[in-house]
Amino acid sequence: MSLIKETDYGTPARIANITVTAEIDGQPITVPAGTSIMRASQMLGVKVPKLCATDSLEPFGSCRLCLVEIDGRKGTPASCTTPLEAGMKVRTQTPKLAKLRKGVMELYISDHPLDCLTCAANGDCELQDMAGAVGLRDVRYGYAGENHLDAGKDESNPYFTFDASKCIVCSRCVRACEEVQGTFALTIAGRGFASKVASGNTNFLESECVSCGACVQACPTATLTEKTVIEKGQPEHSVITTCAYCGVGCSFKAEMQGTEIVRMVPYKDGKANHGHSCVKGRFAWGYATHKDRITKPMIRAKTTDPWREVSWDEAISYAASEFKRIQAKYGLDSIGGITSSRCTNEETFLVQKMIRAAFGNNNVDTCARVCHSPTGYGLRTTLGTSAGTQDFDSVDEADVIMIIGANPTDAHPVFASHMKRRLREGAHLIIADPRRIDLVKTPHVEADYFLPLLPGTNVALINAMAHVVVTEGLVNEAYVAERCDKATFETWRKFIAEERNSPEATEAMTGVPAADLRAAARLYATGGNAAIYYGLGVTEHSQGSTMVMGMANLAMATGNIGRLGVGINPLRGQNNVQGSCDMGSFPHEFSGYRHVSDDAVRQMFEEVWKVTLQAEPGLRIPNMFDAAIEGSFMGLYVQGEDIAQSDPNTQHVTAGLSAMECIVVQDLFLNETSMYAHVFLPGSSFLEKDGTFTNAERRISRVRKAIPPMAGLADWETTAALSKALGYPMDYKHPSEIMDEIARLTPTFAGVSYAKLDELGSVQWPCNDKAPEGTPTMHIGKFVRGLGQFIVTEFIPTDERTSARFPLILTTGRILSQYNVGAQTARTSNVVWHNEDVLEIHPLDAENRGIREGDLVSLASRSGETALRAMISERMQPGVVYTTFHHMKSGTNVITTEYSDWATNCPEYKVTAVQVRPTNRQSEWQEHYLETRRATTRVADPADAAE
Ligand code: SF4
Ligand code: SF4
Ligand code: SF4
Ligand code: FES
C-alpha cells in the first residue's frame, strides 16, 4: 500500500459546450473553453510551478510563480488566471521563466524558517517542492532582513495549529473558507509586508471557524497543520473509505503509519463530497481508539452483577443458549433484534437474516424507525420508491431551494456548503422551521422567505402552500396530466382548494403570516427548478408520513420531480440510515422493501436461505418494549444502537429493557443500553472492517479496513458466529460475498458488486441491467409506481397539547460538533465546543420565568423531568424551547412522549409540551440515573471521559 496522492490541476475543471485546441510546449491539447493554461498543462503531464493555485479554488494570480510565455503576446502571463485559447502556442519552460520563478522563490524563502528537516510538513510542503522545482539553492538577499519569523502560533483549535511564521500569504486558506466551506471566517488583514491571515479579531477557537479543515487542506505550507501530523509525523500509506458519521457519506483517505491513523483527508473523487468535509469526519475520529473501547466479550447473569470478561466462544454460546432457553419457555416470537444505521449494509443484512432465519420470526426493527421511517412510507405511497429522488450535485441546477425541518449547516455540513455555493450563485431560498437556523442569514446567503412555523403544524403549512398553487392557477397541468393519477389528483385538488386550507385560515395554527406563505408558494411554483430538502423536523411528528406525502403532492402538482435541480430529498441523519432500511431491517419487509407476506418474494428468500420464513410482520421497537412489560418478549439482540438513550420516553424504554431476561448488546462502548444487558459483544469501528454504506442520495460507497478489529472480529463475523451457535450457520469469507447475496435477492441492487464499486468509486441504486452504473435521478419520464399518486393530507393536530401546566413546546435537534447520542463525538475533542446539552429559550420566556443565561433550569413534561443550563437565544420564537440529546445525563428523552407517527410509529420527538423553571438541583431521574449507571457499568459518563 502506498500514499494516494491525487493530481492537483491547479484550477477547477470547466464545463462548456465548445472546446479549444492549442499547443503547450509543442504538444497539442483540446480542452473545454475556459480551461486555464495551468490545468491544460497538467492534463498533458506538464507541471507548471505554482503556490497560490489549487484545483479546489478559483484562480487568484497572486504568487507569480506560474508564469508562461505565449507566442505573439507580450509579457509573461500567469497560467492559472489565463484561459487557453484556440491556436495558442504556450511555453512553460524557458530560461527567462526559470529566472523569474527563481527570483519569486528567493523572496518567499528569505522570509521563511529554514527548519525543513524538523518541520511537520517535511515531504508534504509545496513551498519546499517549488524551491526544488525552480532549482533554488541559495538566497541572494540573505535571511537577516525584515521578516515574519517571530510571528506567533495559534494553537487554540483542538485539531490544527496556525504557525504564522510559515505563512506565505497566498490566501488559499481564506479562499477555501469562502469558496469551499462558505463560512468566511478568515481574511487577509493589513497590506503589503504587514499583510497576514486573520480569523476575525480573535483566535481560531473563538472565531466564526467551524473547523471543517478546508483551510488546512488548502495550505501549501506547514502554517495550517493537523496536530496529529505534528505529533506523529507524515503518513506513509492510505486507504480510501467512507465517513461513519452523517448521511452525506463523505469519502476520505485514511492516511496511516502502520496500523495507526495519522489523519483523515477528504477524497477529491468522492462523489458526495468532492474533497470537502466537516469537523466530525475530518477530525473527530479519535473515539475509534478511545480507552473506553471494550475489546473483550463479557457476560453476567444479572444486570447488577459486575461484567465478567470471557472468550468469544463462551460469550457467543452463552447468548445462543439464553435465546434458545427463552424461546423454549416463552415461544418462538419471544426474542428479536435491532439493526444499526451505523453499521454496514452487509452487517445489517446479516442481522435481519439471522433474526428471520435463525430466530425464526420477523421481530427485527431498526433505529431508522425513530427517524426516517415516514420518508419510506410517504415517498413509496406517492412516488413508488422509499428514498430521495436526486443526487447532491442536482442542487447545482436548482433555482429555488426549500428547506423544511432540517438544519444542514449543523447536521449535513458538507452538503450545506455545496448548497450555499449554489445560493451565492443566485438560487432562491425558502426555509420553514420553528427555529432561526443559520441558513436564514449567513455570510452572502439570506433566505427569501423564512416561515417560522409552530412545531406540529407542518401539514397545515404544506397544505396552505398547495392551496395557493391550486387556487392561483399554478398547477403544472401538462405534467400532472401526463404523469399522475387523474382520479387521486382531482380528489386532492378539491380537498386542497377548500378555504380551510388557505394561508389565511391556517395562519393562526402555524403562526406563519399568510402573505409570506403565499409569496413563498408562488416562488416555489414559478421560480424555475424547485427542490425540497428536509430532515427530522418533517418526519418526527404524529403526522410525519402525512407531511412527506404533502411535500410529494406539492412537488408533483408543480412538476418538480424527475429531472436535475428538483425533487424531494430527505437529509438522512446517520451514515447508513438509507442502507439499514434498504437491507430489510423493518419487521414487514425484506431487502428492497418487499413485504414479507408476498409469497413469491418469500419463497425466493426461502430457497436461497434454505429455511421456512414467517409470512406475518414481526414487532416494531415500541411494541417490543410493550410486549416485554407484558411478559411475552424476553430476549433482544441490539447491534450498534443505543435505544436506552435515543428512543423516546426513557422511563418506558428502560422498564421494557429491565423486564427482559437476556439482552445482547454489540457496541464499541458500554453504552446506556448495556446497563440492562447480560451479554456484551465488542463491536468494530468503521476503520476496522470492509463493507458498504448507503448515503442520503442512495449512493453505495465502500468502507475499507484500515486497521485490524480491536476485539479480533468485525461485526459481520460476530453475527455469523451467533447465528451458527443458534443452529443456522453462515459461511461468508468476506463481506463481498454478503453483497453478492444481497444483489442476488434484491432487484434494486442486482448490479452491485465490490468489483463495480472499486471500478466506479460508488453507485446509486437502483443499479441493475437497466441502469448498470446506477441511477442519480429517480422518476425520469415516469414514476417508479407508474402514475404519481396524490394523497389527501388532512391536518390533524397532535394530541400533545400545551396547557397552563405545560405552556411551552420543546423541540430537539443536533448541532455541528455533536453526533446524535454522545457515544462517538463525546469521546473526542469536539466537547470543547459543547460539553453539555443546553436549553435554548427565547428572552421573553426567560424573563417571564426569572431565568438568566447559564442558570440551571428544570425542564418538565407529562413524561418526566430533567435539569439543564439555559441559553437565552433569539433563534427561538416565544413559546418554543430547544435542546440536543447528546449527553445521557441531560435526559432529553426522559421528557419526550410516546406519541408517534400514525403510519410508522416514528416518535414525535419534535413536539413536547413542557414547563421550564429555575432550579438549583438535578432532577430525581438524573440522580437515579447516575446511581444506576454506577451500579451497572464500570465506566464514567463519556463526556467526563473525553480526551
Ligand atoms: S477550518 Fe473551515 S471554517 Fe475554519 S477557518 Fe478553516 S476553512 Fe474556515
Ligand atoms: S496559512 Fe497557508 S494557505 Fe493561508 S495564506 Fe498562509 S500559507 Fe497560504
Ligand atoms: S458531512 Fe457528514 S459524512 Fe461528511 S465528513 Fe461531516 S459527518 Fe462525515
Ligand atoms: S499559481 Fe498562478 S499566480 Fe500563483
Side-chain angles (χ1 to χ4, degrees):
M1 279 186 292
S2 57
L3 198 65
I4 297 162
K5 287 253 182 196
E6 297 135 287
T7 304
D8 185 349
Y9 291 89
T11 64
R14 295 288 182 232
I15 298 166
N17 293 331
I18 38 174
T19 56
V20 294
T21 299
E23 212 175 81
I24 298 175
D25 292 345
Q27 297 188 66
I29 182 152
T30 301
V31 292
T35 302
S36 70
I37 292 175
M38 175 177 280
R39 188 175 178 95
S41 304
Q42 184 62 59
M43 287 163 75
L44 284 169
V46 174
K47 284 188 186 158
V48 181
K50 64 180 182 59
L51 276 174
C52 69
T54 186
D55 60 11
S56 59
L57 304 173
E58 289 301 318
F60 193 57
S62 69
C63 76
R64 311 300 296 163
L65 199 61
C66 68
L67 310 178
V68 291
E69 292 188 77
I70 302 171
D71 283 5
R73 284 211 192 171
K74 279 195 200 146
T76 50
S79 64
C80 61
T81 50
T82 310
L84 193 72
E85 288 173 18
M88 265 183 177
K89 286 191 170 29
V90 179
R91 277 168 296 135
T92 70
Q93 314 292 340
T94 67
K96 181 179 171 187
L97 293 172
K99 193 168 167 210
L100 285 169
R101 288 173 186 157
K102 210 167 190 172
V104 170
M105 280 309 294
E106 272 186 285
L107 285 172
Y108 279 121
I109 297 295
S110 68
D111 188 8
H112 197 82
L114 295 176
D115 60 356
C116 290
L117 286 182
T118 53
C119 177
N122 189 18
D124 182 32
C125 171
E126 292 183 41
L127 190 68
Q128 193 181 42
D129 293 348
M130 289 310 125
V134 304
L136 190 69
R137 298 283 169 267
D138 199 6
V139 171
R140 284 169 293 164
Y141 324 114
Y143 305 94
E146 205 182 348
N147 59 46
H148 300 85
L149 302 183
D150 292 331
K153 283 187 191 174
D154 176 352
E155 298 189 304
S156 59
N157 186 287
Y159 296 118
F160 60 83
T161 297
F162 175 75
D163 179 352
S165 71
K166 297 190 169 169
C167 180
I168 58 170
V169 202
C170 65
S171 98
R172 272 161 67 160
C173 54
V174 178
R175 290 179 285 134
C177 193
E178 293 175 5
E179 295 175 29
V180 179
Q181 167 56 24
T183 290
F184 296 77
L186 302 177
T187 50
I188 300 288
R191 289 172 160 246
F193 182 79
S195 58
K196 60 175 188 181
V197 173
S199 47
N201 290 322
T202 181
N203 62 26
F204 270 83
L205 187 64
E206 305 294 330
S207 73
E208 298 291 310
C209 167
V210 293
S211 289
C212 71
C215 56
V216 180
Q217 191 170 332
C219 182
T221 67
T223 314
L224 283 159
T225 307
E226 298 91 345
K227 287 184 175 173
T228 48
V229 172
I230 295 172
E231 190 189 308
K232 299 178 184 183
Q234 287 292 319
E236 51 197 26
H237 71 270
S238 39
V239 177
I240 295 167
T241 191
T242 304
C243 179
Y245 278 117
C246 84
V248 177
C250 297
S251 290
F252 278 89
K253 291 183 291 181
E255 294 197 340
M256 325 265 305
Q257 276 175 359
T259 55
E260 202 178 0
I261 307 282
V262 175
R263 66 178 168 190
M264 297 290 281
V265 180
Y267 187 46
K268 268 199 324 198
D269 282 350
K271 296 193 177 70
N273 58 319
H274 303 295
H276 189 36
S277 73
C278 80
V279 59
K280 294 189 281 284
R282 189 189 296 256
F283 295 123
W285 40 267
Y287 73 88
T289 49
H290 193 275
K291 63 181 169 45
D292 289 352
R293 275 288 297 271
I294 305 292
T295 55
K296 295 265 182 352
M298 302 186 296
I299 61 175
R300 59 184 176 183
K302 296 199 300 294
T303 58
T304 46
D305 290 346
W307 283 106
R308 187 163 64 84
E309 289 183 357
V310 294
S311 67
W312 273 108
D313 282 349
E314 187 177 347
I316 295 279
S317 66
Y318 180 75
S321 66
E322 277 296 281
F323 282 156
K324 282 187 200 161
R325 179 188 65 76
I326 289 170
Q327 281 190 309
K329 185 169 168 192
Y330 298 96
L332 194 68
D333 295 335
S334 59
I335 63 171
I338 297 176
T339 71
S340 173
S341 296
R342 298 183 181 186
C343 288
T344 63
N345 285 317
E346 293 76 2
E347 287 160 348
T348 307
F349 184 83
L350 279 207
V351 172
Q352 62 89 35
K353 177 176 176 178
M354 176 180 73
I355 290 163
R356 297 187 204 280
F359 289 11
N361 61 47
N362 287 321
N363 290 335
V364 55
D365 208 355
T366 174
C367 44
R369 164 77 52 218
V370 300
C371 65
H372 267 290
S373 47
T375 289
Y377 181 90
L379 295 184
R380 186 183 171 95
T381 306
T382 48
L383 314 179
T385 298
S386 303
T389 59
Q390 312 296 122
D391 63 1
F392 289 142
D393 288 352
S394 163
V395 78
D396 293 332
E397 305 290 325
D399 301 306
V400 179
I401 295 170
M402 180 149 85
I403 302 173
I404 310 179
N407 186 4
T409 52
D410 283 43
H412 302 87
V414 165
F415 179 59
S417 293
H418 193 159
M419 192 185 258
K420 282 197 278 187
R421 211 159 53 236
R422 179 64 192 145
L423 291 165
R424 290 198 300 274
E425 287 168 2
H428 294 284
L429 178 62
I430 301 166
I431 296 177
D433 202 287
R435 185 164 169 261
R436 182 173 278 272
I437 60 170
D438 277 353
L439 277 173
V440 173
K441 195 170 185 337
T442 193
H444 304 279
V445 170
E446 187 162 1
D448 296 73
Y449 298 102
F450 171 47
L451 313 176
L453 79 174
L454 272 172
T457 63
N458 286 335
V459 173
L461 177 125
I462 208 77
N463 284 350
M465 288 189 79
H467 176 91
V468 175
V469 168
V470 164
T471 56
E472 294 191 9
L474 304 179
V475 169
N476 185 334
E477 301 286 353
Y479 180 96
V480 171
E482 184 191 336
R483 302 198 41 176
C484 301
D485 178 69
K486 192 167 184 320
T488 57
F489 172 68
E490 289 305 337
T491 308
W492 174 79
R493 186 204 285 261
K494 205 159 155 246
F495 154 76
I496 213 77
E498 290 173 26
E499 184 51 29
R500 66 198 172 97
N501 287 321
S502 71
E504 291 71 22
T506 51
E507 180 175 326
M509 287 180 267
T510 61
V512 175
D516 287 357
L517 194 139
R518 277 194 182 274
R522 288 174 195 141
L523 175 61
Y524 176 83
T526 63
N529 286 340
I532 296 175
Y533 294 91
Y534 71 94
L536 303 181
V538 158
T539 54
E540 290 178 344
H541 286 276
S542 59
Q543 282 202 292
S545 294
T546 316
M547 178 60 181
V548 173
M549 295 188 289
M551 295 186 304
N553 290 338
L554 180 67
M556 287 190 290
T558 52
N560 277 311
I561 303 180
R563 61 179 187 281
L564 277 177
V566 297
I568 305 177
N569 305 285
L571 295 173
R572 304 276 184 164
Q574 304 197 63
N575 52 324
N576 201 33
V577 176
Q578 181 68 56
S580 76
C581 299
D582 301 341
M583 291 298 102
S585 294
F586 289 122
H588 64 293
E589 282 171 342
F590 291 117
S591 58
Y593 305 98
R594 289 154 308 151
H595 206 278
V596 292
S597 65
D598 182 324
D599 291 340
V601 171
R602 204 175 57 259
Q603 273 163 20
M604 181 172 68
F605 277 86
E606 286 178 339
E607 270 162 33
V608 174
W609 290 355
K610 302 197 180 354
V611 69
T612 304
L613 299 170
Q614 280 192 359
E616 291 294 314
L619 296 174
R620 296 173 174 183
I621 293 173
N623 307 129
M624 293 181 192
F625 299 137
D626 295 342
I629 292 166
E630 283 161 15
S632 59
F633 187 85
M634 289 290 133
L636 185 67
Y637 172 63
V638 193
Q639 183 180 72
E641 163 70 354
D642 196 359
I643 42 176
Q645 183 172 1
S646 60
D647 283 38
N649 194 350
T650 307
Q651 295 181 79
H652 182 70
V653 173
T654 53
L657 293 172
S658 306
M660 294 184 206
E661 293 184 5
C662 180
I663 294 179
V664 178
V665 165
Q666 186 173 357
D667 211 286
L668 303 181
F669 305 104
L670 274 177
N671 61 14
E672 306 309 317
T673 310
S674 68
M675 287 163 60
Y676 305 89
H678 308 83
V679 180
F680 187 91
L681 304 174
S684 50
S685 76
F686 75 112
L687 294 166
E688 297 159 43
K689 58 198 177 188
D690 283 296
T692 56
F693 291 151
T694 306
N695 77 352
E697 322 160 273
R698 296 169 276 105
R699 184 181 300 287
I700 307 158
S701 301
R702 274 299 309 277
V703 175
R704 292 187 179 84
K705 184 152 88 174
I707 56 179
M710 286 175 71
L713 295 182
D715 292 323
W716 64 271
E717 293 174 296
T718 308
T719 306
L722 180 57
S723 185
K724 188 174 176 190
L726 284 161
Y728 185 80
M730 294 182 180
D731 291 318
Y732 304 101
K733 289 180 192 59
H734 189 267
S736 60
E737 295 173 6
I738 307 173
M739 179 53 83
D740 292 343
E741 182 174 319
I742 295 166
R744 211 157 52 243
L745 287 167
T746 317
T748 43
F749 275 65
V752 181
S753 67
Y754 278 27
K756 183 170 284 178
L757 293 173
D758 288 346
E759 183 196 334
L760 300 179
S762 59
V763 289
Q764 288 171 266
W765 67 257
C767 173
N768 45 31
D769 284 349
K770 276 197 222 150
E773 299 206 344
T775 311
T777 308
M778 300 285 293
H779 312 295
I780 294 176
K782 189 175 166 205
F783 290 106
V784 168
R785 73 178 306 286
L787 295 172
Q789 180 97 349
F790 280 83
I791 302 288
V792 169
T793 51
E794 189 76 60
F795 171 56
I796 301 168
T798 168
D799 288 338
E800 175 72 358
R801 303 286 164 88
T802 53
S803 62
R805 208 168 139 224
F806 300 109
L808 304 172
I809 297 176
L810 170 74
T811 188
T812 60
R814 192 189 290 176
I815 53 179
L816 176 67
S817 60
Q818 299 181 345
Y819 179 68
N820 211 294
V821 299
Q824 291 149 288
T825 40
R827 288 186 173 90
T828 70
S829 298
N830 277 22
V831 291
V832 303
W833 287 287
H834 298 277
N835 63 1
E836 61 181 335
D837 296 306
V838 295
L839 186 79
E840 287 189 33
I841 183 166
H842 188 272
L844 277 179
D845 291 326
E847 196 184 329
N848 287 342
R849 289 164 174 78
I851 293 168
R852 288 158 308 173
E853 179 78 14
D855 280 358
L856 192 65
V857 293
S858 143
L859 173 69
S861 74
R862 294 179 182 97
S863 296
E865 182 182 1
T866 189
L868 302 166
R869 300 225 164 261
M871 179 178 150
I872 297 173
S873 163
E874 299 224 356
R875 275 175 189 269
M876 306 313 303
Q877 47 181 301
V880 182
V881 293
Y882 168 92
T883 190
T884 48
F885 48 93
H886 193 57
H887 300 278
M888 183 61 192
K889 66 185 175 195
S890 315
T892 307
N893 282 327
V894 171
I895 303 301
T896 51
T897 68
E898 279 188 304
Y899 290 120
S900 65
D901 175 45
W902 62 272
T904 64
N905 269 154
C906 180
E908 190 175 44
Y909 289 115
K910 302 296 182 188
V911 189
T912 309
V914 294
Q915 179 58 292
V916 178
R917 289 200 184 86
T919 187
N920 53 14
R921 60 175 188 84
Q922 302 217 302
S923 74
E924 263 179 43
W925 177 86
Q926 283 168 310
E927 280 166 12
H928 172 72
Y929 160 73
L930 291 173
E931 271 168 36
T932 316
R933 171 119 203 146
R934 268 191 292 273
T936 56
T937 64
R938 59 191 171 94
V939 289
D941 180 20
D944 301 328
E947 284 187 346

